Amino acid sequence: MGILGITNRTENWKTAEFFAPFFEYDSARTRLAKRLLEPLGKSHEVQPCTVKIELFWYGMRDYVDLQRKQREPEPTPETLAESYLPLFSDPNKLDLCRQINEIDKHDTLTDRNYNVSNRDWKEKLWTNLNNTEIDVIVKTPNHLFIGEAKHETTAFDADKNRFLMHQLIREYVMASTLIDCLESDKEVVPFVVGNEPDKIKEPHPNLKHIHQIGFLRDVGWLKEENVLSWDCIDEIAKSTPTAN
């Protein structure tokens, strides 16, 4: 029972509670990274003492602040658009506007969504990326794992007034654009944690079949095996000081 006999039901509290062991034990962090790389056939790439973890991460916001403090060039709406366009608005590779409209019939995009064709929309992209939080970040020398945690709800934000209207897509775009700004070759690997991800709770689909997760899976960003339960995270986290 929680403080004053009241259970804390927030996703942030559950995330902090379940991921706390990963900050203490390198062996737990290594197991988590290996588990997330299994669907990619790359679990052998992870070596002990190479895995770092953070929670509630505003990567682009903090990068901009760091550049400013160090008096280094910081990302502008124009430079972020230059990174965004070849990654997410290339008709010969990946065009988010077109593919969202083709794959997800539940959302009809407006001109303001995912389109950096004018200055105002570049500003909106900059604002969205700077205000995007990712619940769990796990870093290895070759990969950046971005995790979204869900507790009692399975809903993901989808606000047409945002430039990047879909929460999971927005997180992937932020991480990938930041990696590009840093001129890093790390691969971005999404994962999701939730309650009973395979269980259907009428009238809602199970977590693995929510529209945004389906989109990430269909474009090849998210492996279905990386939609995890809290029990799975708890099992991976189990460690002892002697195993560290």
Side-chain angles (χ1 to χ4, degrees), residues 21 34 39 74 80 179 203:
K34 284 179 175 288
E74 60 190 77
L80 289 185
I179 289 293

Side-chain angles (χ1 to χ4, degrees), residues 69-239:
K69 288 178 177 177
Q70 294 182 342
R71 301 184 183 278
E72 297 289 341
E74 60 190 77
T76 65
E78 286 74 21
T79 58
L80 289 185
E82 289 173 3
S83 291
Y84 174 85
L85 282 168
L87 291 171
F88 302 109
S89 189
D90 186 338
N92 297 316
K93 295 180 181 178
L94 176 64
D95 185 339
L96 279 180
C97 287
R98 176 178 57 81
Q99 292 192 251
I100 290 172
N101 278 322
E102 287 179 356
I103 295 174
D104 193 345
K105 304 301 182 182
H106 297 271
D107 290 315
T108 302
L109 303 182
T110 67
D111 287 343
R112 70 173 66 91
N113 302 128
Y114 301 100
N115 184 346
V116 292
S117 60
N118 67 38
R119 169 73 190 190
D120 287 343
W121 291 332
K122 292 176 183 178
E123 293 276 4
K124 291 182 183 299
L125 170 67
W126 190 93
T127 298
N128 273 197
L129 295 181
N130 275 271
N131 288 285
T132 294
E133 178 194 51
I134 298 176
D135 290 335
V136 185
I137 288 288
V138 179
K139 183 182 76 71
T140 70
N142 298 319
H143 296 87
L144 185 71
F145 304 95
I146 60 173
E148 177 63 25
K150 287 295 179 187
H151 183 20
E152 295 193 356
T153 177
T154 56
F156 295 97
D157 174 57
D159 182 356
K160 290 183 180 180
N161 292 317
R162 289 177 180 263
F163 177 82
L164 304 170
M165 67 171 284
H166 301 93
Q167 180 181 0
L168 293 183
I169 297 174
R170 184 165 63 247
E171 293 173 2
Y172 186 88
V173 170
M174 186 273 278
S176 299
T177 305
L178 178 57
I179 289 293
D180 187 72
C181 289
L182 293 170
E183 298 182 349
S184 170
D185 58 359
K186 290 186 190 299
E187 180 181 355
V188 177
V189 180
F191 67 100
V192 179
V193 183
N195 297 322
E196 301 176 305
D198 293 305
K199 183 177 181 179
I200 296 176
K201 300 179 180 180
E202 297 294 349
H204 305 292
N206 63 39
L207 187 61
K208 288 185 177 180
H209 293 91
I210 287 176
H211 300 141
Q212 290 191 41
I213 288 180
F215 179 83
L216 265 64
R217 185 186 62 242
D218 290 345
V219 297
W221 296 345
L222 173 67
K223 296 294 185 181
E224 185 170 318
E225 298 91 330
N226 281 342
V227 181
L228 309 174
S229 68
W230 287 106
D231 286 342
C232 179
I233 294 298
D234 187 44
E235 183 65 29
I236 295 170
K238 288 178 178 176
S239 183

